[in-house]
Short mmCIF file of all heavy atoms in Angstrom, two decimals:
data_model
loop_
_atom_site.label_atom_id
_atom_site.label_comp_id
_atom_site.label_asym_id
_atom_site.label_seq_id
_atom_site.Cartn_x
_atom_site.Cartn_y
_atom_site.Cartn_z
N ASP T 79 -66.07 19.00 110.85
CA ASP T 79 -67.19 19.58 110.10
C ASP T 79 -67.10 19.33 108.60
O ASP T 79 -67.82 19.95 107.82
CB ASP T 79 -67.24 21.09 110.36
CG ASP T 79 -65.97 21.80 109.93
OD1 ASP T 79 -65.08 21.16 109.34
OD2 ASP T 79 -65.87 23.03 110.19
N GLY T 80 -66.24 18.43 108.18
CA GLY T 80 -66.08 18.16 106.77
C GLY T 80 -64.80 18.74 106.20
O GLY T 80 -64.33 18.32 105.14
N ARG T 81 -64.23 19.69 106.91
CA ARG T 81 -62.98 20.32 106.47
C ARG T 81 -61.87 20.16 107.51
O ARG T 81 -60.74 19.84 107.18
CB ARG T 81 -63.21 21.81 106.18
CG ARG T 81 -64.20 22.08 105.08
CD ARG T 81 -64.43 23.57 104.90
NE ARG T 81 -64.96 24.22 106.10
CZ ARG T 81 -66.24 24.25 106.41
NH1 ARG T 81 -67.13 23.65 105.62
NH2 ARG T 81 -66.66 24.86 107.50
N SER T 82 -62.21 20.42 108.77
CA SER T 82 -61.22 20.41 109.84
C SER T 82 -61.72 19.61 111.02
O SER T 82 -62.93 19.43 111.21
CB SER T 82 -60.91 21.85 110.31
OG SER T 82 -60.41 22.62 109.24
N LEU T 83 -60.75 19.13 111.82
CA LEU T 83 -61.04 18.42 113.06
C LEU T 83 -60.69 19.35 114.21
O LEU T 83 -59.59 19.90 114.26
CB LEU T 83 -60.21 17.14 113.13
CG LEU T 83 -60.39 16.25 114.36
CD1 LEU T 83 -61.77 15.59 114.35
CD2 LEU T 83 -59.32 15.16 114.39
N TYR T 84 -61.63 19.53 115.14
CA TYR T 84 -61.46 20.47 116.24
C TYR T 84 -61.48 19.74 117.57
O TYR T 84 -62.29 18.83 117.78
CB TYR T 84 -62.57 21.51 116.25
CG TYR T 84 -62.64 22.37 115.03
CD1 TYR T 84 -63.42 21.99 113.93
CD2 TYR T 84 -61.94 23.58 114.94
CE1 TYR T 84 -63.49 22.78 112.79
CE2 TYR T 84 -62.02 24.38 113.82
CZ TYR T 84 -62.79 23.96 112.74
OH TYR T 84 -62.87 24.74 111.62
N PHE T 85 -60.60 20.16 118.47
CA PHE T 85 -60.65 19.75 119.87
C PHE T 85 -61.02 20.99 120.66
O PHE T 85 -60.26 21.96 120.69
CB PHE T 85 -59.31 19.20 120.33
CG PHE T 85 -59.31 18.70 121.76
CD1 PHE T 85 -59.41 17.35 122.03
CD2 PHE T 85 -59.23 19.59 122.82
CE1 PHE T 85 -59.41 16.89 123.35
CE2 PHE T 85 -59.23 19.14 124.13
CZ PHE T 85 -59.34 17.78 124.39
N ILE T 86 -62.20 20.98 121.28
CA ILE T 86 -62.69 22.16 122.01
C ILE T 86 -62.68 21.85 123.50
O ILE T 86 -63.25 20.84 123.95
CB ILE T 86 -64.13 22.53 121.57
CG1 ILE T 86 -64.17 22.77 120.05
CG2 ILE T 86 -64.61 23.76 122.31
CD1 ILE T 86 -64.82 21.68 119.27
N ASP T 87 -61.99 22.69 124.26
CA ASP T 87 -61.94 22.56 125.71
C ASP T 87 -62.69 23.76 126.30
O ASP T 87 -62.21 24.89 126.29
CB ASP T 87 -60.49 22.56 126.20
CG ASP T 87 -60.37 22.21 127.68
OD1 ASP T 87 -61.24 22.66 128.46
OD2 ASP T 87 -59.41 21.51 128.05
N TYR T 88 -63.90 23.49 126.78
CA TYR T 88 -64.74 24.58 127.29
C TYR T 88 -64.28 25.08 128.64
O TYR T 88 -64.60 26.20 129.03
CB TYR T 88 -66.20 24.12 127.35
CG TYR T 88 -66.82 23.99 125.97
CD1 TYR T 88 -66.98 22.75 125.37
CD2 TYR T 88 -67.24 25.11 125.26
CE1 TYR T 88 -67.54 22.63 124.10
CE2 TYR T 88 -67.79 25.01 124.00
CZ TYR T 88 -67.94 23.76 123.43
OH TYR T 88 -68.48 23.66 122.17
N GLN T 89 -63.53 24.26 129.36
CA GLN T 89 -63.07 24.69 130.68
C GLN T 89 -62.05 25.82 130.59
O GLN T 89 -62.10 26.77 131.36
CB GLN T 89 -62.49 23.50 131.44
CG GLN T 89 -62.11 23.81 132.88
CD GLN T 89 -61.75 22.55 133.66
OE1 GLN T 89 -61.40 21.53 133.08
NE2 GLN T 89 -61.87 22.63 134.97
N VAL T 90 -61.13 25.70 129.63
CA VAL T 90 -60.09 26.72 129.49
C VAL T 90 -60.33 27.60 128.26
O VAL T 90 -59.49 28.43 127.91
CB VAL T 90 -58.69 26.08 129.40
CG1 VAL T 90 -58.37 25.34 130.69
CG2 VAL T 90 -58.57 25.14 128.22
N ARG T 91 -61.48 27.39 127.59
CA ARG T 91 -61.86 28.18 126.42
C ARG T 91 -60.78 28.14 125.34
O ARG T 91 -60.32 29.16 124.84
CB ARG T 91 -62.16 29.64 126.82
CG ARG T 91 -63.33 29.76 127.78
CD ARG T 91 -63.65 31.20 128.08
NE ARG T 91 -64.78 31.32 128.98
CZ ARG T 91 -65.29 32.46 129.40
NH1 ARG T 91 -64.76 33.60 128.98
NH2 ARG T 91 -66.31 32.49 130.22
N GLN T 92 -60.40 26.93 124.99
CA GLN T 92 -59.35 26.74 123.99
C GLN T 92 -59.87 25.86 122.87
O GLN T 92 -60.61 24.89 123.10
CB GLN T 92 -58.12 26.09 124.64
CG GLN T 92 -56.96 25.87 123.69
CD GLN T 92 -55.73 25.35 124.41
OE1 GLN T 92 -55.59 25.51 125.62
NE2 GLN T 92 -54.84 24.71 123.67
N VAL T 93 -59.47 26.18 121.64
CA VAL T 93 -59.84 25.40 120.46
C VAL T 93 -58.58 25.08 119.67
O VAL T 93 -57.82 25.98 119.31
CB VAL T 93 -60.83 26.17 119.57
CG1 VAL T 93 -61.14 25.36 118.31
CG2 VAL T 93 -62.12 26.49 120.33
N ASP T 94 -58.33 23.80 119.43
CA ASP T 94 -57.23 23.36 118.57
C ASP T 94 -57.83 22.79 117.29
O ASP T 94 -58.85 22.10 117.32
CB ASP T 94 -56.38 22.30 119.26
CG ASP T 94 -55.62 22.86 120.45
OD1 ASP T 94 -55.24 24.04 120.41
OD2 ASP T 94 -55.42 22.12 121.43
N ARG T 95 -57.17 23.06 116.18
CA ARG T 95 -57.70 22.66 114.87
C ARG T 95 -56.63 21.92 114.08
O ARG T 95 -55.46 22.30 114.10
CB ARG T 95 -58.15 23.90 114.09
CG ARG T 95 -58.54 23.63 112.65
CD ARG T 95 -58.82 24.94 111.92
NE ARG T 95 -58.98 24.72 110.50
CZ ARG T 95 -57.98 24.66 109.62
NH1 ARG T 95 -56.72 24.80 110.03
NH2 ARG T 95 -58.21 24.45 108.33
N TRP T 96 -57.05 20.85 113.41
CA TRP T 96 -56.18 20.11 112.50
C TRP T 96 -56.91 19.89 111.18
O TRP T 96 -58.13 19.66 111.18
CB TRP T 96 -55.83 18.73 113.05
CG TRP T 96 -54.98 18.72 114.26
CD1 TRP T 96 -53.62 18.63 114.33
CD2 TRP T 96 -55.43 18.79 115.63
NE1 TRP T 96 -53.19 18.63 115.63
CE2 TRP T 96 -54.28 18.73 116.45
CE3 TRP T 96 -56.68 18.88 116.23
CZ2 TRP T 96 -54.36 18.76 117.83
CZ3 TRP T 96 -56.76 18.94 117.60
CH2 TRP T 96 -55.61 18.87 118.40
N PRO T 97 -56.22 19.93 110.05
CA PRO T 97 -56.83 19.44 108.80
C PRO T 97 -57.19 17.97 108.97
O PRO T 97 -56.45 17.21 109.61
CB PRO T 97 -55.72 19.63 107.76
CG PRO T 97 -54.79 20.64 108.37
CD PRO T 97 -54.85 20.43 109.85
#
Side-chain angles (χ1 to χ4, degrees):
D79 60 5
R81 299 177 299 276
S82 300
L83 181 69
Y84 299 90
F85 183 100
I86 303 106
D87 189 322
Y88 288 102
Q89 186 170 22
V90 298
R91 298 184 179 181
Q92 181 175 338
V93 177
D94 293 327
R95 172 186 171 275
W96 293 267

